[in-house]
């Protein structure tokens, strides 16, 4: 499986699955998005900037590559250059974290070959689930941090009293509501007292266990 992860959040944005004999450089063009500006890659992607997909005037020609140096070259570097490589390695490490999640948390250590299409679909679901898990952990960590922060002091402000005219309006506005309720109850009682309603109530059977008062 080949994946592309965001350098800021660590979320996986692209997943591809190929046979074992396919080189990493062949899948680089499928992992780099058109709006990517800087790409951090391990030593297996040496020579990626010289590929025809990233050279010339193509849509990905503006991409700047930060490819890890090989161990033999790393030994000959100065202390400053090794510090730069170390900082870049901390960014590249984010692409390995989703593999840790699907192996340790989801238990996906071995797979059965069922065709590239089915295996690719399985991997896409796994890496999408790893994104949700990383998101949930980040939200839980943020909530825990905010809960342990010192409470901010709030200045109590006296509520502004309502004007007298508004209070008078509120009191008098209740009278129409009460009048409407009285009219509705009176209309209901009048309808129950009509002859047709009384005849239906009289014709209704009365059970032996009931007594009319």
């Amino acid at each position: 499986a080949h994946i592309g992860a965001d350098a800021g959040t660590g979320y996986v944005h692209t997943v591809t699955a190929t046979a074992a004999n396919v080189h990493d450089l062949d899948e680089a063009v499928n992992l780099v998005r058109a709006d990517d500006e800087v790409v951090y890659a391990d030593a297996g992607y040496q020579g990626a900037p010289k590929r025809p997909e990233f050279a010339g005037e193509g849509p990905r020609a503006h991409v700047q590559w930060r490819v890890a140096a090989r161990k033999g070259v790393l030994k000959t570097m100065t202390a400053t250059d090794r510090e730069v490589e170390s900082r870049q390695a901390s960014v590249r490490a984010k692409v390995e974290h989703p593999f840790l999640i699907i192996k340790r948390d989801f238990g996906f250590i071995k797979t059965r070959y069922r065709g590239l299409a089915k295996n690719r679909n399985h991997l896409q679901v796994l890496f999408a689930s790893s994104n949700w898990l990383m998101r949930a952990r980040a939200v839980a960590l943020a909530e825990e941090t905010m809960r342990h922060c010192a409470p901010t002091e709030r200045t109590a402000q006296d509520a502004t009293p309502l004007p007298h005219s508004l209070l008078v309006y509120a009191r008098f506005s209740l009278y129409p509501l009460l009048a409407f309720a009285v009219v509705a109850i009176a209309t209901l009682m009048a309808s129950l007292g009509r002859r047709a309603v009384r005849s239906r109530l009289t014709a209704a059977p009365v059970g032996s266990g009931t007594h009319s008062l």
Side-chain angles (χ1 to χ4, degrees):
H2 308 268
I3 68 171
D6 187 78
T9 61
Y11 298 154
V12 179
H13 58 74
T14 307
V15 179
T16 62
T18 61
N21 58 354
V22 177
H23 198 273
D24 292 344
L25 289 176
D26 297 334
E27 283 298 306
V29 65
N30 298 325
L31 301 177
V32 179
R33 297 170 295 184
D35 58 345
D36 288 337
E37 297 180 357
V38 181
V39 175
Y40 295 84
D42 56 21
Y45 291 88
Q46 290 285 347
K50 300 179 182 178
R51 303 278 294 189
E53 299 88 354
F54 304 103
E57 299 180 356
R60 297 176 177 82
H62 64 281
V63 175
Q64 300 180 11
W65 288 84
R66 304 287 188 269
V67 183
R70 301 187 183 277
K71 292 185 178 180
V73 179
L74 189 62
K75 294 179 181 179
T76 61
M77 289 184 176
T78 61
T80 304
D81 294 338
R82 284 198 297 269
E83 180 65 21
V84 173
E85 286 291 329
S86 178
R87 292 177 180 270
Q88 294 179 3
S90 63
V91 179
R92 288 192 299 269
K94 293 184 178 181
V95 77
E96 303 296 339
H97 189 64
F99 287 100
L100 174 66
I101 291 178
I102 66 174
K103 290 180 180 179
R104 183 187 62 186
D105 297 330
F106 300 156
F108 186 75
I109 301 176
K110 295 182 180 180
T111 182
R112 179 183 301 175
Y113 181 72
R114 300 175 179 175
L116 289 178
K118 292 184 177 180
N119 285 6
R120 186 185 303 109
N121 292 338
H122 193 185
L123 290 170
Q124 288 175 348
V125 172
L126 286 172
F127 283 110
S129 302
S130 68
N131 287 348
W132 281 107
L133 183 59
M134 287 188 289
R135 168 75 175 178
R137 288 176 176 175
V139 172
L141 181 60
E143 292 178 351
E144 186 71 17
T145 303
M146 294 179 61
R147 203 164 28 242
H148 286 80
C149 289
T152 57
E153 296 182 359
R154 297 181 180 178
T155 305
Q157 297 181 357
D158 297 334
T160 304
L162 296 175
H164 180 70
S165 59
L166 183 59
L167 293 176
V168 175
Y169 175 78
R171 291 173 183 175
F172 279 96
S173 62
L174 295 177
Y175 290 104
L177 296 177
L178 294 177
F180 174 77
V182 172
V183 172
I185 294 174
T187 304
L188 179 61
M189 297 300 294
S191 63
L192 292 177
R194 292 179 181 177
R195 179 177 300 178
V197 177
R198 287 201 307 269
S199 61
R200 287 198 299 268
L201 294 176
T202 306
V206 180
S208 60
T210 61
H211 301 277
S212 58
L213 299 178

